[in-house]
Amino acid sequence: MSISVDHAKMVDDVSLRSLLDNITEPAVIAAMDGEILNYNRQFYSKVPKVITKDNIQQIFCLTSTVYDTENILEVATIATKRTGLFPVKLKLELDSCGVQKSVPGYISALRYKESGLPAAMLVQLDEHLLKITSRLKEMQKAELNHARKARIASLKATTDELTGLKNRRFLNTFLEYQWHSTKRSSEDAVIVLFDIDHFKKINDVYGHDSGDMALRVFASCLEGEARAADIVGRWGGEEFMVILSNCTEDEAALFLSRAMKKLRDSVVKTSGETLRMTASAGYCSLSTALSPEDAIAKADKALYKAKSNGRDQFIKYT
């Protein structure tokens, strides 16, 4: 790049090329008014657009306003008031797609030998820190991707694929936690087991696609009436479980009344027909159970009684 006559005089005592050849990191030299005087091949490899730029401000701006400015010339002026390297964070285009990146760098003043006055500025990119920063970002990105995949895997491992509810594996784990929690506090909890009435008939008459839709509609009914702290899950087949946290048996009866009504009012649209369904349920409080398994057994006995008594009802274990 050609150097103007005035600037050539100004830096006459400084061998720009020799100086740049001895710098192993990307570096560019500019006059104090910003005119680019020269750069080394390392800088060109990082910022190939430098060949078309006249002023350093067309390449750099600051990413920090610590010095109340994003103007690199103003910061360069500050740098001339001290000796050595002046650390800065710069923003520039590092690739052909035009994306700007923040990189660490240094500004230092090139001075006249005799007067010591600033003749030009030297801007260096810290290649070592740049590589470390880039590597850290890659590691952070990889870690985030790994964490995201782990969350997805964990979610899949505890979620019923058809309904989106918690699966049996999760329900067993949470029930055990809830049972122990109930024993340690004065707050009770209730376990409810549901069974969709005559579900086999739905599959046989309307087909398995309609059966799957019925399961999703039922799941939606339960979720719609449950609280945020309650756990709703698919126990298996057409059976569902709800664990009502911090709940009494009387409060559970109110939940069941709402859920049963919502289910009766819901419809499943099949090919050319509208299907309605009901369910039976049995429930018991965890405080009356000897173990999580005992709670399930008691709720299941109450459910069996509800089905034996004509279905479309809920019964408490006694």
Side-chain angles (χ1 to χ4, degrees), residues 101-137:
K101 297 182 180 178
S102 176
V103 298
Y106 302 96
I107 296 178
S108 57
L110 304 179
R111 303 174 183 275
Y112 294 112
K113 282 185 177 180
E114 296 188 8
S115 67
L117 295 174
M121 73 177 88
L122 172 66
V123 182
Q124 296 173 243
L125 304 183
D126 193 323
E127 186 78 354
H128 181 63
L129 280 179
L130 189 58
K131 288 179 180 178
I132 291 177
T133 302
S134 177
R135 179 59 182 153
L136 284 174
K137 287 182 179 179

Side-chain angles (χ1 to χ4, degrees), residues 15 20 26 48-49 184 190 216 235 240 254 259 271 280 304 311:
S15 174
L20 287 168
K49 291 184 178 181
R184 292 193 302 266
V190 174
R216 286 192 288 266
W235 189 239
F240 292 77
L254 294 175
S271 54
S280 304
Y304 180 79
R311 295 184 169 83

Side-chain angles (χ1 to χ4, degrees), residues 9-301:
K9 288 180 181 178
M10 183 175 68
V11 294
D12 194 32
D13 293 334
V14 181
S15 174
L16 299 184
R17 189 71 264 158
S18 175
L19 175 64
L20 287 168
D21 287 344
N22 287 319
I23 297 176
T24 59
E25 301 194 333
V28 59
I29 295 176
M32 296 308 297
D33 63 2
E35 180 183 345
I36 295 175
L37 303 179
N38 218 321
Y39 48 85
N40 60 11
R41 60 182 177 80
Q42 293 93 325
F43 189 85
Y44 176 76
S45 68
K46 288 292 180 184
V47 193
K49 291 184 178 181
V50 66
I51 198 169
T52 64
K53 305 299 182 182
D54 298 321
N55 195 290
I56 198 167
Q57 291 193 102
Q58 295 173 325
I59 299 176
F60 294 116
C61 65
L62 302 183
T63 62
S64 172
T65 56
V66 173
Y67 307 106
D68 297 322
T69 179
E70 292 187 356
N71 188 311
I72 192 170
L73 295 182
E74 293 181 18
V75 173
T77 301
I78 299 173
T80 61
K81 297 177 181 178
R82 55 183 289 182
T83 58
L85 302 177
F86 193 83
V88 289
K89 280 222 170 180
L90 303 166
K91 185 163 61 180
L92 73 159
E93 292 180 5
L94 283 179
D95 44 45
S96 58
C97 65
V99 176
Q100 289 190 324
K101 297 182 180 178
S102 176
V103 298
Y106 302 96
I107 296 178
S108 57
L110 304 179
R111 303 174 183 275
Y112 294 112
K113 282 185 177 180
E114 296 188 8
S115 67
L117 295 174
M121 73 177 88
L122 172 66
V123 182
Q124 296 173 243
L125 304 183
D126 193 323
E127 186 78 354
H128 181 63
L129 280 179
L130 189 58
K131 288 179 180 178
I132 291 177
T133 302
S134 177
R135 179 59 182 153
L136 284 174
K137 287 182 179 179
E138 289 177 3
M139 291 172 64
Q140 288 171 348
K141 185 177 180 181
E143 189 175 337
L144 286 173
N145 285 337
H146 177 74
R148 180 178 60 83
K149 290 178 181 179
R151 285 196 300 271
I152 292 174
S154 176
L155 187 62
K156 286 182 177 179
T158 59
T159 303
D160 175 63
E161 188 175 351
L162 177 65
T163 63
L165 299 179
K166 296 301 182 183
N167 61 16
R168 188 176 187 131
R169 177 182 178 183
F170 181 90
L171 289 169
N172 275 321
T173 301
F174 186 83
L175 180 61
E176 183 171 359
Y177 160 79
Q178 188 66 71
W179 183 81
H180 286 290
S181 178
T182 299
K183 296 304 177 184
R184 292 193 302 266
S185 70
S186 58
E187 295 179 357
D188 205 348
V190 174
I191 176 177
V192 186
L193 277 178
F194 290 89
D195 189 295
I196 298 176
D197 296 330
H198 305 296
F199 183 74
K200 184 178 183 301
K201 183 179 179 180
I202 295 175
N203 274 334
D204 292 343
V205 175
Y206 299 99
H208 288 280
D209 287 344
S210 296
D212 289 348
M213 191 177 298
L215 291 171
R216 286 192 288 266
V217 169
F218 185 54
S220 179
C221 289
L222 295 182
E223 279 194 306
E225 294 304 323
R227 303 163 301 173
D230 300 330
I231 299 297
V232 182
R234 186 180 178 193
W235 189 239
E238 67 272 24
E239 287 191 326
F240 292 77
M241 178 186 289
V242 178
I243 302 172
L244 302 169
S245 302
N246 190 17
C247 181
T248 65
E249 290 181 334
D250 289 341
E251 290 169 334
L254 294 175
F255 160 76
L256 282 158
S257 296
R258 295 194 306 269
M260 292 289 198
K261 182 180 185 307
K262 190 167 187 174
L263 179 61
R264 295 186 196 103
D265 294 339
S266 299
V267 295
V268 179
K269 293 183 180 180
T270 63
S271 54
E273 295 188 53
T274 298
L275 166 67
R276 293 184 180 274
M277 57 182 168
T278 61
S280 304
Y283 66 104
C284 77
S285 62
L286 295 188
S287 61
T288 64
L290 301 177
S291 65
E293 295 76 17
D294 183 48
I296 295 172
K298 288 179 176 177
D300 191 53
K301 287 179 181 178

